[in-house]
Amino acid sequence: MALMYTNTAMGAEDGYRLWLRYESLATTQAESLRSQARRVVIASPRTATLEAAAGELRRGIEGLSAGAPIDVIDMPAEGPGEGDVVIGTTGGDWRGAPEQTEKAIGPGGYRVSSQAVHGGTYTAVEGQDQSGVLYGVFALLRALQSGNSIDSIELADHPRVGLRLLNHWDNLDRYVERGYAGQSLWDWWRLPDLVDPRYTDYARANASIGINGTVLNNVNAAAEVLTPRYIAKAAKLADVFRPWGIRVYLSARWSAPRDIGGLDTADPLDPAVRAWWAAKADEIYAAIPDFGGFLVKANSEGQPGPREYGRSHADGANMLAAALAPHGGVVMWRAFVYSETDPEDRVRQAYTEFKPLDGTFADNVLVQVKNGPLDFQPREPFHPMFGGMPGTPLMMEFQLTKEYLGFSTHLVYLGALWEEVLQTDTFAQGGGSTVAKVVDGRLDGHELTGIAGVANIGRDRDWSGSDFDQANWYAFGRLAWNPDGDAHVIAREWLQQTFSTDPAFVEPAAELMMRSREAVVNYMTPLGLTHIMGTGHHYGPAPWVDDLGRPEWNPFYYHRADADGIGFDRTASGSNAVEQYHAPVGEQFGSLESVPDEYLLWFHRVPWDYRLRDGTTLWQALARQYDQGVGQAEAMRAEWETLGQHVDPVRRARVADYLDIQVREAKWWRDACLAYFQARSGLDWPDGVTPPPLTLDDYRAMQFPYAPGN
Amino acid sequence: MALMYTNTAMGAEDGYRLWLRYESLATTQAESLRSQARRVVIASPRTATLEAAAGELRRGIEGLSAGAPIDVIDMPAEGPGEGDVVIGTTGGDWRGAPEQTEKAIGPGGYRVSSQAVHGGTYTAVEGQDQSGVLYGVFALLRALQSGNSIDSIELADHPRVGLRLLNHWDNLDRYVERGYAGQSLWDWWRLPDLVDPRYTDYARANASIGINGTVLNNVNAAAEVLTPRYIAKAAKLADVFRPWGIRVYLSARWSAPRDIGGLDTADPLDPAVRAWWAAKADEIYAAIPDFGGFLVKANSEGQPGPREYGRSHADGANMLAAALAPHGGVVMWRAFVYSETDPEDRVRQAYTEFKPLDGTFADNVLVQVKNGPLDFQPREPFHPMFGGMPGTPLMMEFQLTKEYLGFSTHLVYLGALWEEVLQTDTFAQGGGSTVAKVVDGRLDGHELTGIAGVANIGRDRDWSGSDFDQANWYAFGRLAWNPDGDAHVIAREWLQQTFSTDPAFVEPAAELMMRSREAVVNYMTPLGLTHIMGTGHHYGPAPWVDDLGRPEWNPFYYHRADADGIGFDRTASGSNAVEQYHAPVGEQFGSLESVPDEYLLWFHRVPWDYRLRDGTTLWQALARQYDQGVGQAEAMRAEWETLGQHVDPVRRARVADYLDIQVREAKWWRDACLAYFQARSGLDWPDGVTPPPLTLDDYRAMQFPYAPGN
C-alpha cells in the first residue's frame, strides 16, 4: 500500500508515541484548553522532577490545544493568575498558592483541581511529593486526552503498591529472552558514552502509568553486570530515569563472588562472601545513590543458588538483604523454583519449599511469586503462596511479554487475565481475602509491597512489537498502581489515548479486548489444559512432546492423554496440590462437582466420555472449546473491519495483518491439538467437527529453528 | 540535555531520513523552485517504478520548496507546460514531449534538462529505461538538495558497473554478523505477513545512490533460507524493492542438498545434486521472477564446499550457474578462501587457488574478491587477483561495516580507502590498468561486472549506527555507480544533503572525512602492520595473541615482533607474495628501497633500528605514527566544536560523543600496542614518547565478552 512508504520518513503512525500522543483535540475543546491553560507555573523550588513534569505538561498542552508555545515560569510574586496550570508539592514549599489542600493523600499521591482566582480559575496540580506532582500531571493529561475538560476538573489518587516494577529479561548482548519486540532497549555497548534519547521516552511512558522502578537485566543473570564497567552503564541509565521517579534495580547472579569476585565459594554464611556482597553494594550505591536493589533467580532452571551449600532461600535472601539494608535497598527473591531431581508435582514445589520459610525473611526482602503455580500459562489457578505466606511480603510477578500467548502477533489483552488473578479470593482470612489484598499489603499488614511485570518492551519502533501489545504495558502500570483497578475501564482509557475518543470505537474495542483473553485460552488450552506448547521456543502447539529429559519438561506430563482419559489428578487421590489452598478453595478445586470447567483438567483426570455440567462429553467439549476459540479470533478480525475505520490507515492495516496471523495460528492450534487428542483417545470426531486439514505427522514435523526469544 | 527528550517523540534529528531529508531550501531558492516545479507529469505508460519516481519527486519538491502539495498527472494532450517536471523513458513511449533526446546514454542512464515551452521552461527527466528515470529523479533531487537551481539544469550520467549490490551478513534470527547498528532490518519472523514500511525506505535510500541489488542473508548461510517458508519471505521483500529497481539475491549454503534436500551428497558433479539445484532455482524464480542469483562462501572458514568432493571452485560455481542460467541469474563466488591445513602464507592462498581456474568459469559467474588479500584491514595492498584473472569477471567486495575500523563508534570515511584501492594501478596491461578498470570491465572487456559492499545497515534508528557511518553507505553506492568517482566530491555531496550546504561547513568537514581514514591507520596499524586486533570480536588492540589453534589466526603471525625486528617477509626471501603482482608493482613492493612506508611491514621484516627514508628508526617511526593517529583523532574532535555549530543540536552532540569514544580508543590502541612492542623489542622509549599509563598486563587483561557482531 503506497501510503505506508509515502509517509514513513515523516511521521506515519508508527506507534512510537504510545499513549502519549497529544494530538490536537477537536476545535472547540482545543480552543477551550488554550484559554484555560495559558502557562505552566512551578510553585515549589525547581527540581529535575518538577522540570520534567512541567516540560511534559507544556508538551501535552501545546499538542492537545494545537496552540502557540506556552511558557514555564516560577510562581510570580502576585500568585497564580487565570489560565495558569500550577504544579508543586503540597506543604511548606508550595509558594504563592492561595490555599492549601489537606495533606495525607499518601506517598506519590496527587490532587488536580480548579481553583478560583480574580473571578476566573486556574488549575492546581498538587503532589504529596515530587513523584506525586509527576503523577498528577500525567493524570491531568490522561483526562484531557480522554476527552475531559480542564474546566472544574477534580482528580485525586495515590498508588496502593510501593514497588511498581518492570523486569527486563535483557541480556548484556542485547538479546531479550522471551522478547518479541526486537533487541534490548539498552545499548550496553555504547553506554555510558551514548545516551539514546529513547531512554527518556521510556521513562516518560513508565512515569505516565506510575511505574517507579525497572530491573535492567535478565533474571538469568550474567555476573558481569556487577563489574565496574557495567555499573557505570547502569548508573547512566539511572541518571536518565531519576527525574521521572524511576529507580534502577539489577538482577544479581548468585555465584557472582565466584564468577567475578575471585572467591571459591558463594556460600551465604561464609564471611568472605558476605563481605564481598557488602562491598559490592557499597560500590553500586556510590555510583547510583538511589539504587533499588537486587532481583534474584536462584536454584531455578540451572541457576546457582544457596541450596548448593545446603542453605535455604531465606539464608540467601537475607545475606543479600544485609548488604543492601544500610543503603535502603531491597531483595526480590523469586519463588519460581522447581527441582531437577524432585519427583513432586511441579506445581506444588514452590509452596512446599517456601511455606516453611514464612516469617524468616529479613525486613527488606520480598518474595516474588508468579501469578500461577506453573509458568504464565494462558490460564492457571492462582498461586497458593498468595494467602499461604502471611508473614512475608509477596511481590506479584506478571508476564507482559506473551511467551505463551501468541508472542507479539496475537491480540490478547492481559488486563483481563491479571484482573481475574487479583480479584480471586484466597480465603486466607475468610471471604474477601483477595490476591489483590495480599499483594497491596492490606491483608497481612505489610508496608513493603510490590508488583513486577516481565517487560514486553524492545527496540521495535512501536516498543512492544504490535500496537495492541502496548495496552499490556499500560494496563500493567495501572493495575500495579491500583490492584483493584478495573481492566475494562483501563482498556477504555488506553484506547482513548492511543486511537480515538469516539464512543462508537471505544466501547466495542474495549469489549473486543476483554474477550481476547478468553479466545486465546480456548484456542490454546481450554478446560484446564496447560503447557502444551512447542519445546524451547514455546511457539505453536506440541501436546505430543514426551521425550524430553525431565518429566515436567514434557507437555505430556501435564495432560497424560491416553485411551482412558485426560488430565492431571491433583486431588487427594493424586498429587494433592489442592491441599495447598485454603478452605473452601481447595475443596472447590478438588471436587468434580464444584471445580470450574476452566480448571477441570488442571486438577482432575477424567475419561473422554466424562459429562460436563452442560451434558456434553469431555471430548465433545474439548472440540467445541477449540472451535469456539477460532471463532472468537475470526470475530475479532471481522470486527476490526468496522473498528478500524476509526483508526489511521497505517495502524489499521497493521492491526489487520496481525489479526490475520492470529486467525491462522488459532486454527493451527485447534487442528494440531485435536488431531493429537483424537489419536490418543482413538475416538471418532464429534458430530459437526471438521477433521483437521493435515495429518498429525504433518503438525509434528513443523520446525521453527529461528523463533524469537528462545 | 533536556532538548533531546523534548523533541524525541516528535521529529528530533534521529538520522532516520539519511541524505533524503528534503528540508526547506532558503526562502528565495524555495520560491524559485515553487514556480518552476509546479507539478509532476508522467510522460510514459505508468509502471510501479515510474510511480515510485513520481512520488519521490513530489515528496522532494514539496519538502524543498516548502510549498503546497503538488499534483502528479499523466501527460496531458496539449503536452508539457511551463513549470512541469516531466519524467519518462526515452524512445517510443515518451508521450507528448516536444522533442526527443538522443538515446545511447546507456542502461540505467538519464538526462535531466530544461526545455523551452510557451516562452517558459519545463524540466525533463528522461531515462534510458525505467531505472534510468528513477536515477534521474534522484540526481535532480540531489542537485536541488545540494543547493543547485532547477533553472537551466543539465545532468546526464549512467552507471559504469552492472551489479551494484549490498551484502547483508544477516542471520535468520536477526543477528547481524559484524553488525554494529542493531538487529537485522529483516523481520524474518513476521514476514511475509508484516511488511515494515522501513523496507521501502531502505529501497528508496539505495535507489537514490544507484544500488540495484541486495543479498539478504549472511554468506555464512543457513540452508533454511532456501526452504519454501523463507522463499516466501524473501519474495515479499522482492515485491517491496522491485519498483525501486532493486533485485533480491540470496547467499546459498553449499551443503543445502544435504541439509534440507534429503540427499546424502552435495557433490557438484552428482546428477541428483544438479537436479536439486535446478529445481530449487525453478522454485525460487516462480516466487521471485527477477531473482538475482546466489552468493556463495564455500570452503572458507569452515563453510562446506566442492573441495570436500575433490571438485574445484569452478566446478562448484558452474554447477550453480547452470541452474540459474535459464532464468538469467548469476553466481557470485567468493574468493575469500584460506585453508585450515595449508602452511602457505595466508595472503597468497586465494590467488594460488583461483589463478589456475581463470577462464574456466561459466558466463554467468563472477568471482567476488575482497579489496585486499587479507581481510578488510585498515590498509592493505590491493588483492593481486585484480589484474591476475583477465579471463574472469571479478566483483569487488568492500566492507561498509567497520569490523576492523572501530565499529560504528569511530568516524572513518571509507570513501578514501576505496578510492585508494580503485585507483591503484595493477599494471596488468601496462600503466593505467587500474583496479577500477578491472572491476568495471574495461580492461578485459567483460560485460558482466559488479561491486558488492558488506552492509553497515541495521535496525538502529539511524540505520548505520552513527551519523557519519551513513556516509559510507552513500559513498559505496556512488563509487559502485562510477568506480572512478572522487571520494572527496562524494563526501561533499553527502554532507550537503545530510547536514548543511553552507560552504563554511562543507569544505572543512569533507577534508576532515578524507583525513579520517589515515588517522585510523595510524592509531591502529601504521607502517604496514595488520591484523593485530582483539580475537573473535575484533575490538581493540591485541598484538600479543599467539596461542590460537591455527598460526594465521594469531596477530603474532602477522608481525612476528621479537628482539631482532618486526614484519612479515613477503619478498623472494620469504613467502614471495610479491610475485603475485605484475611488474613493476611486485618489484616495488619487494624492494626496501621502493616499498612505500605504509606497506613496509606488510612485505618486509626489518630490525628495530632500521632507518626509514626520513632518517628515523623503525621504532621511532612506529611510536611517531601511533601518536600522530591519536593527534589526528583529537584534531577531529576539536574541529567538530566549530563544525558542529552548523549542525542541529541533537546530531551535533551525538557526533561529539562518538568522537570522544574515538579519541579514548585511539589512545588505547597506541598505548597498548606500544607497550607490547616495547616489551618485545626491549628498547628504551624513544625521546619525546610518553610511556603508556597502564602496564602491558593491564592491556592484556581487558575482556569484552559482550562485544557486538561477534
Side-chain angles (χ1 to χ4, degrees), chain A residues 91 105 107-108 135 141 158 165 258 283 303 361 407 443 456 470 488-489 519 545 550 556 567 603 641 691:
Chain A
I105 43 182
Y135 299 145
L141 290 169
H158 70 278
L165 268 53
R258 291 197 313 249
E283 179 189 350
Q303 291 297 311
F361 290 94
F407 295 3
L443 194 68
N456 64 350
Q470 297 178 353
H488 199 143
V489 171
V545 173
R550 287 278 308 156
F556 181 77
F603 286 112
E641 286 298 300

Side-chain angles (χ1 to χ4, degrees), chain A residues 5 8 180 190 193 200-201 408, chain B residues 5 8 180 190 200-201 408:
Chain A
Y5 66 77
T8 303
Y180 313 104
R190 295 187 186 117
D193 303 289
T200 302
D201 286 332
S408 56
Chain B
Y5 65 76
T8 302
Y180 313 105
R190 295 185 186 119
T200 303
D201 285 332
S408 57

Side-chain angles (χ1 to χ4, degrees), chain A residues 194-276:
Chain A
L194 264 288
V195 180
D196 190 331
R198 194 162 179 175
Y199 301 148
T200 302
D201 286 332
Y202 165 87
R204 289 174 56 226
N206 279 323
S208 77
I209 51 176
I211 288 171
N212 67 355
T214 184
V215 185
L216 298 175
N217 61 315
N218 193 350
V219 289
N220 293 318
E224 285 88 348
V225 81
L226 301 175
T227 59
R229 193 154 162 265
Y230 280 89
I231 291 171
K233 295 168 190 279
K236 181 62 78 171
L237 290 174
D239 290 343
V240 175
F241 300 161
R242 190 170 295 114
W244 301 92
I246 292 165
R247 288 184 180 204
V248 155
Y249 300 70
L250 294 174
S251 291
R253 183 169 165 88
W254 176 259
S255 55
R258 291 197 313 249
D259 301 334
I260 59 168
L263 302 184
D264 57 6
T265 178
D267 182 346
L269 302 191
D270 184 294
V273 170
R274 301 178 73 88
W276 187 88

Side-chain angles (χ1 to χ4, degrees), chain B residues 369-410:
Chain B
V369 186
K370 295 188 183 185
N371 58 274
L374 184 49
D375 193 7
F376 298 135
Q377 294 296 299
R379 170 168 277 130
E380 300 186 30
F382 71 94
H383 201 302
M385 286 177 69
F386 293 108
M389 300 273 290
T392 307
L394 296 192
M395 193 157 173
M396 171 64 77
E397 181 175 308
F398 286 136
Q399 189 181 45
L400 283 61
T401 189
K402 301 206 307 300
E403 175 180 358
Y404 298 106
L405 292 101
F407 294 4
S408 57
T409 40
H410 291 205

